Amino acid sequence: MAPWPELENAQPNPDKYTEGKCRPSCDTGTPVTKIELQPSYSTVALIEEPTGVEDPWDLPELRDTGIKWSERDTKGKILCVFQGIGKFILLLGFLYFFVCSLDVLSSAFQLVGGKVAGQFFSNNSIMSNPVAGLVIGVLVTVLVQSSSTSSSIIVSMVASSLLTVRAAIPIIMGANIGTSITNTIVALMQAGDRNEFRRAFAGATVHDFFNWLSVLVLLPLEAATHYLEVLTNLVVETFNFKNGEDAPALLKVITDPFTKLIVQLDKKVINEIAMNDEAAKNKSLIKIWCKTFTNVTQMNVTVPSSENCTSPSLCWSDGTYTWTLKNVTYTENIAKCQHIFANSTLPDLAVGIILLLASLLVLCGCLITIVKLLGSVLRGQVAVVIKKTINTDFPFPFAWVTGYLAILVGAGMTFIVQSSSVFTSAMTPLIGIGVITIERAYPLTLGSNIGTTTTAILAALASPGNTLRSSLQIALCHFFFNISGILLWYPIPFTRLPIRLAKGLGMLSAEYRWFAVFYLVFVFFLTPMAVFGLSLAGWPVLVGVGAPVVAVALLLGLLGVLQSRCPRILPRKLRDWGFLPLWLRSLKPWDDLISLLAGCCQNRCCLCCRLCCRTCCLLCGCPPCCRCSGCCRSQDDDEGAPPGKGPEAFDNVALSVEAQEGSPQPPVDDPDSKVMSGSTAL
């Protein structure tokens, strides 16, 4: 505890004494009692005393705890240089495997849910509904883990006249949302440390909030005015675009030699399923033959009648059959692919699950190692230089330029790596360890959204003539959608709501870490699936169920704003959330329930037994004759034991404090008393 603040005139001084109070008639010969002045305390000083509460979003100090360079001898300096070079090489190596694991993870998701994603697109009647198209875009991109794949399917459908550009725009918006799940999954890997997890999860979900807020504003605007369709159509008609070269695959050149040894997919199968090709539903996504020879020859074939002939001059009959001359395409397999599953007989689902588990394991291991290496490399002066370079603004007149420069940097880096998921996922651990602030990560993320659309535009310019217009218009819709979102949520500082919402979610998820998993499942799976199911039932059902839910959400949001801004205009009962039950206004009861379930799984009794025993004890008071009394007594004995640290994934600061306060403390004056630590008890 901090010492009491003292005033300057309150220092102990032997000259500063006060004499005891004496009447004029008292004897002067009596010795006077001197009382020393006690230090005076100031109420103002108490108020101004710093509370010592630190901002949880302050970047940690990455201090160098090793030997200084000036204190090293020649051998130590050479060894330090070689250690730095080795760490840098290891960092590049693990970063390479990290990117490769993301690629394999995308392939695994396509094997598990690629055909389901194609079937989502095959229902054209549902996609005429903008809301249904939005959630289809989210679900498909989450299933295939690639916005490029979902965008290519949409381009193929528009080029084949199975889908209009107007119906494709909401799906593009949904694909923009679905691609942000990758860095959110990466942020979950840093759940071991609360502070790192708070920053990493906030830095990852700022992308989610930007996409969702942009959709909430721009989807109704597009449905009412069709401004994206009109604007992109004007751009395509104004500029006479011609076919060009394909977009440079800079990162693919490095990663493909390794990932193609693991698995190769035939992505045309998903396109064929989306085109309602029944034969494609029985095909495997795993590529078997990498080299094929296609030959077109003219052959005599039989037809039912002369009306089916290719030409009257090429039609004849031998009295039994009618013959004609027709071009027949023959494909000959030449060489098999050289990946692990080329000769496997496993189904696509089994291969996808194997690759999913393996890629997540490699992803987690690489991420942990990268964080440790960055923590050991970014220390001392190096950390200071990097932090100042990334997080410092320009001088006062040009401070606003810094954010827009960060947007350009994010766009350029995404263009180089050819994937916004790779860039944002690589940036997430840097946010977690405190190298990049949330405020600086936000414009970098916005730039990555722009960078991935420029790649799509270059890929559209390389399309053949029959799909050039449609693919280019859809790529431009994606580009102008992100530009519109940036204009909404970045130029004016108070409109940067994604930063504040992401920080709030980061604080909540750091306290209740199970809530991060719930958020991921609820936002990217449950909500889109529920909206898609209501869309299958028809537009009236979707409106009838969705409108009250949206109205209640808006009402609660408005009430929360009024409670924080101007509570005086509200009735006294509505000035806080006390009128709601505890389980509706706090996650504490849910955290207790999850902690109870997790504790039940770790005790001697099984989960069902524990729940039944708990219910029985609550009803009958657990008398000695009850069959559940033994289990409950063992439970009480466990609760009375020294508190050990529970599972870190469900750790709660409040629970820990209550456990520490409620636990009996041993007397300090007994030298023979022994204290068992929590780790020893565990």
Side-chain angles (χ1 to χ4, degrees):
M1 182 179 293
W4 286 77
E6 302 176 1
L7 298 180
E8 296 180 357
N9 59 352
Q11 300 296 328
N13 192 344
D15 297 332
K16 293 183 178 180
Y17 289 96
T18 179
E19 297 182 357
K21 201 171 184 180
C22 182
R23 291 186 179 92
S25 59
C26 65
D27 189 7
T28 55
T30 307
V32 179
T33 304
K34 295 184 178 181
I35 304 173
E36 183 180 359
L37 284 175
Q38 298 296 325
S40 61
Y41 301 102
S42 171
T43 306
V44 178
L46 283 175
I47 297 175
E48 294 178 352
E49 183 185 9
T51 58
V53 178
E54 297 181 356
D55 186 1
W57 301 104
D58 285 343
L59 296 183
E61 292 291 336
L62 302 176
R63 297 177 180 176
D64 191 0
T65 57
I67 305 174
K68 294 182 179 181
W69 179 264
S70 58
E71 298 176 357
R72 297 178 183 268
D73 55 2
T74 305
K75 182 179 178 181
K77 290 180 180 179
I78 296 175
L79 184 62
C80 181
V81 170
F82 278 105
Q83 284 180 350
I85 296 174
K87 288 180 181 180
F88 182 72
I89 294 174
L90 283 175
L91 187 62
L92 291 180
F94 281 106
L95 186 61
Y96 174 78
F97 286 112
F98 174 76
V99 175
C100 290
S101 65
L102 288 176
D103 195 357
V104 176
L105 182 68
S106 175
S107 300
F109 272 104
Q110 292 181 45
L111 285 171
V112 173
K115 292 185 177 181
V116 178
Q119 291 175 359
F120 277 131
F121 281 121
S122 62
N123 197 337
N124 297 331
S125 60
I126 297 179
M127 287 191 291
S128 59
N129 180 358
V131 179
L134 173 73
V135 296
I136 285 174
V138 175
L139 288 172
V140 169
T141 309
V142 167
L143 288 175
V144 301
Q145 281 290 290
S146 173
S147 59
S148 301
T149 302
S150 54
S151 300
S152 64
I153 297 174
I154 297 169
V155 168
S156 302
M157 295 183 68
V158 173
S160 304
S161 300
L162 295 176
L163 196 67
T164 62
V165 174
R166 179 171 298 181
I169 291 175
I171 306 176
I172 289 293
M173 294 182 181
N176 207 50
I177 294 174
T179 191
S180 61
I181 189 177
T182 307
N183 58 329
T184 309
I185 295 175
V186 170
L188 293 178
M189 307 300 175
Q190 294 183 261
D193 184 87
R194 286 188 185 275
N195 293 325
E196 287 188 8
F197 184 58
R198 179 191 301 113
R199 290 187 291 266
F201 198 73
T205 53
V206 73
H207 196 186
D208 305 349
F209 283 114
F210 169 76
N211 289 331
W212 280 109
L213 289 174
S214 300
V215 165
L216 289 177
V217 175
L218 298 179
L219 182 62
L221 182 63
E222 172 63 21
T225 62
H226 308 292
Y227 84 100
L228 286 175
E229 181 185 4
V230 174
L231 180 60
T232 54
N233 188 38
L234 181 64
V235 173
V236 171
E237 289 181 351
T238 302
F239 299 96
N240 186 18
F241 291 104
K242 297 181 180 180
N243 294 358
E245 297 181 357
D246 201 355
L250 302 177
L251 191 65
K252 290 288 185 181
V253 174
I254 305 173
T255 58
D256 277 354
F258 179 74
T259 56
K260 284 185 176 180
L261 294 176
I262 300 175
V263 69
Q264 296 184 43
L265 301 184
D266 187 4
K267 297 182 181 180
K268 295 180 182 177
V269 177
I270 303 178
N271 287 349
E272 293 171 357
I273 294 175
M275 302 292 183
N276 290 321
D277 188 354
E278 294 296 330
K281 295 181 180 179
N282 298 322
K283 292 182 180 179
S284 175
L285 283 172
I286 301 175
K287 202 177 210 179
I288 306 297
W289 299 95
C290 287
K291 278 188 179 182
T292 58
F293 175 72
T294 303
N295 187 21
V296 180
T297 58
Q298 289 185 343
M299 296 181 62
N300 296 332
V301 295
T302 59
V303 290
S305 63
S306 59
E307 296 177 354
N308 301 107
C309 295
T310 56
S311 175
S313 59
L314 301 175
C315 189
W316 68 94
S317 177
D318 58 0
T320 305
Y321 299 102
T322 302
W323 296 84
T324 186
L325 198 63
K326 189 176 182 180
N327 292 332
V328 178
T329 303
Y330 174 71
T331 302
E332 181 182 358
N333 297 323
I334 298 177
K336 273 191 171 184
C337 299
Q338 299 298 320
H339 57 84
I340 299 174
F341 300 97
N343 299 317
S344 174
T345 58
L346 294 174
D348 289 357
L349 181 61
V351 176
I353 292 175
I354 292 172
L355 290 177
L356 183 64
L357 295 177
S359 59
L360 284 177
L361 183 63
V362 174
L363 180 71
C364 183
C366 290
L367 185 64
I368 293 173
T369 310
I370 287 172
V371 170
K372 296 295 183 183
L373 285 173
L374 287 174
S376 62
V377 172
L378 300 178
R379 297 184 304 181
Q381 194 63 28
V382 178
V384 174
V385 172
I386 292 178
K387 281 186 179 182
K388 286 185 177 180
T389 304
I390 296 178
N391 300 314
T392 305
D393 294 334
F394 287 125
F396 167 67
F398 306 102
W400 57 274
V401 182
T402 312
Y404 296 98
L405 181 62
I407 292 176
L408 294 177
V409 170
M413 294 297 297
T414 306
F415 180 78
I416 291 174
V417 300
Q418 295 282 293
S419 174
S420 60
S421 299
V422 171
F423 175 71
T424 54
S425 300
M427 190 171 59
T428 299
L430 295 177
I431 301 172
I433 65 175
V435 176
I436 304 177
T437 62
I438 308 294
E439 288 76 12
R440 182 64 73 242
Y442 181 53
L444 290 171
T445 303
L446 301 186
S448 71
N449 276 355
I450 299 295
T452 191
T453 57
T454 56
T455 304
I457 291 173
L458 291 178
L461 291 175
S463 303
N466 58 340
T467 62
L468 174 63
R469 177 182 174 86
S470 56
S471 59
L472 184 59
Q473 188 170 0
I474 290 174
L476 288 174
C477 288
H478 197 184
F479 175 76
F480 284 114
F481 167 73
N482 283 305
I483 292 293
S484 303
I486 291 175
L487 293 177
L488 280 174
W489 308 114
Y490 187 75
I492 307 175
F494 74 85
T495 60
R496 297 172 187 174
L497 293 179
I499 296 178
R500 282 177 276 177
L501 294 176
K503 283 187 174 182
L505 183 60
M507 293 287 291
L508 190 63
S509 300
E511 184 175 0
Y512 307 103
R513 277 176 276 192
W514 55 267
F515 186 76
V517 180
F518 172 78
Y519 161 82
L520 193 69
V521 175
F522 180 78
V523 170
F524 291 102
F525 291 98
L526 296 183
T527 301
M529 288 295 293
V531 175
F532 181 73
L534 293 174
S535 302
L536 292 176
W539 178 259
V541 177
L542 179 63
V543 174
V545 176
V549 173
V550 174
V552 170
L554 292 177
L555 183 61
L556 292 177
L558 178 61
L559 183 59
V561 172
L562 292 178
Q563 285 177 353
S564 59
R565 299 294 181 182
C566 43
R568 294 182 179 179
I569 66 174
L570 294 174
R572 186 175 298 276
K573 193 174 183 180
L574 296 180
R575 291 181 182 178
D576 55 27
W577 299 105
F579 63 93
L580 292 176
L582 183 62
W583 60 274
L584 278 179
R585 55 187 167 88
S586 174
L587 291 178
K588 182 68 166 54
W590 299 101
D591 185 68
D592 295 341
L593 178 62
I594 292 176
S595 301
L596 176 64
L597 294 177
C600 288
C601 296
Q602 294 176 353
N603 285 327
R604 292 182 292 274
C605 296
C606 66
L607 176 61
C608 297
C609 257
R610 285 286 296 215
L611 294 178
C612 293
C613 289
R614 171 62 73 180
T615 306
C616 180
C617 293
L618 291 175
L619 292 177
C620 66
C622 196
C625 59
C626 180
R627 294 179 59 187
C628 299
S629 60
C631 181
C632 294
R633 279 200 299 269
S634 64
Q635 177 186 348
D636 295 337
D637 294 341
D638 293 340
E639 291 177 355
K645 188 172 182 180
E648 208 169 23
F650 305 102
D651 194 10
N652 187 358
V653 177
L655 293 177
S656 302
V657 173
E658 290 173 4
Q660 292 175 3
E661 291 177 355
S663 61
Q665 300 294 334
V668 296
D669 55 348
D670 188 2
D672 299 329
S673 62
K674 297 181 180 180
V675 182
M676 181 181 295
S677 65
S679 59
T680 307
L682 181 61

